[in-house]
């Protein structure tokens, strides 16, 4: 549904019917990105446990979609040319990269600390204009105590190799979000 907000009133401009079987799908507000032609979104899980990436046309609200190959999308990012979706496996992160037409281009794998992690939980990926990425990562090492979680900010190059690793020294909760303010300062949200 496309609406027009004018002061205290909201007017429905156009309704768009979803394809059959999609009535239960919804979108995550923190996983919506746009360019001049489309909105790019992650859907909720469908009846067959599939998760989709959709491109919704701004001109006619038509929907193009592709099914994500992993179990779920923990992080969805858009760098202006590509959509990057990630999912964690037990000791590595997989980044699926798509073009703006949702064609799968490649898969990049980040094996952090040579597989030392028991679990890695990525919470936010932020592309920069110069081709780098910043990844907020929760890291649970093998043999660690219950509820122990290291919080790191990784700087990645275009091939998703770790260039820098900042350990925040916070081990009893997880960082859930951040944004770049200025050229290099970060604003962080901590969930304990």
């Amino acid at each position: 549904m496309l609406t027009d907000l004018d002061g205290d009133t909201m007017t429905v401009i156009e309704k768009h019917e979803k394809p059959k079987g999609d009535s239960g799908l919804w979108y995550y507000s923190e996983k919506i990105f746009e360019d001049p032609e489309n909105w790019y979104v992650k859907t909720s899980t469908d009846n067959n446990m599939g998760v989709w990436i959709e491109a919704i046309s701004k001109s006619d609200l038509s929907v193009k979609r592709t099914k994500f190959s992993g179990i779920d999308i923990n992080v969805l990012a858009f760098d202006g040319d590509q959509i990057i979706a990630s999912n964690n496996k037990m000791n590595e992160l997989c980044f699926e990269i798509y073009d703006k037409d949702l064609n799968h281009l490649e898969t990049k794998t980040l094996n952090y600390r040579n597989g030392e992690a028991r679990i890695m939980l990525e919470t936010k990926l932020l592309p920069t204009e110069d081709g780098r990425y910043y990844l907020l990562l929760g890291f649970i090492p093998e043999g660690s105590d219950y509820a122990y979680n290291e919080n790191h900010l990784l700087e990645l190059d275009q091939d998703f190799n770790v260039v820098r690793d900042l350990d925040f020294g916070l081990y009893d909760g997880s960082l859930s979000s951040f944004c770049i303010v200025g050229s290099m300062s970060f604003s962080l949200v901590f969930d304990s």
Side-chain angles (χ1 to χ4, degrees), residues 4-180:
D4 180 25
L5 298 174
D6 183 22
D8 294 330
T9 63
M10 181 171 67
T11 307
V12 175
I13 298 171
E14 181 179 347
K15 287 186 178 182
H16 182 72
E17 296 297 320
K18 287 186 174 183
K20 185 176 180 182
D22 286 354
S23 61
L25 290 181
W26 45 280
Y27 304 128
Y28 293 84
S29 62
E30 71 277 6
K31 293 182 174 85
I32 297 176
F33 302 94
E34 66 178 306
D35 69 9
E37 293 84 37
N38 297 302
W39 290 289
Y40 300 96
V41 299
K42 171 207 169 184
T43 71
S44 61
T45 305
D46 66 17
N47 293 336
N48 296 313
M49 301 303 292
V51 174
W52 300 83
I53 300 170
E54 293 186 350
I56 304 169
S57 169
K58 290 181 176 181
S59 64
D60 64 5
L61 300 180
S62 61
V63 176
K64 183 175 183 175
R65 66 167 49 151
T66 189
K67 186 174 181 186
F68 182 63
S69 61
I71 297 169
D72 196 4
I73 298 172
N74 294 338
V75 170
L76 187 69
F78 180 60
D79 68 6
D81 294 316
Q82 301 177 110
I83 297 111
I84 302 127
S86 73
N87 191 5
N88 58 318
K89 296 182 180 176
M90 287 306 284
N91 60 359
E92 67 183 12
L93 301 177
C94 293
F95 296 96
E96 301 289 338
I97 302 170
Y98 301 85
D99 65 18
K100 292 197 290 186
D101 290 324
L102 303 184
N103 298 307
H104 184 263
L105 300 175
E106 62 183 319
T107 301
K108 303 267 187 172
T109 302
L110 173 64
N111 187 334
Y112 183 64
R113 290 190 181 175
N114 298 317
E116 175 192 324
R118 180 171 64 211
I119 299 174
M120 291 189 292
L121 302 169
E122 71 279 26
T123 58
K124 181 89 172 181
L125 179 71
L126 199 62
T128 63
E129 291 179 3
D130 62 358
R132 292 173 296 148
Y133 299 92
Y134 287 95
L135 176 68
L136 194 56
L137 177 72
F139 175 79
I140 303 172
E142 282 289 345
S144 62
D145 293 333
Y146 177 77
Y148 178 89
N149 180 43
E150 295 181 10
N151 293 278
H152 292 255
L153 181 66
L154 304 181
E155 180 182 341
L156 308 174
D157 64 16
Q158 293 177 351
D159 293 318
F160 291 83
N161 297 309
V162 177
V163 175
R164 262 191 310 178
D165 179 353
L166 173 62
D167 181 348
F168 289 107
L170 303 169
Y171 306 121
D172 59 352
S174 63
L175 293 166
S176 62
S177 190
F178 73 103
C179 63
I180 293 180

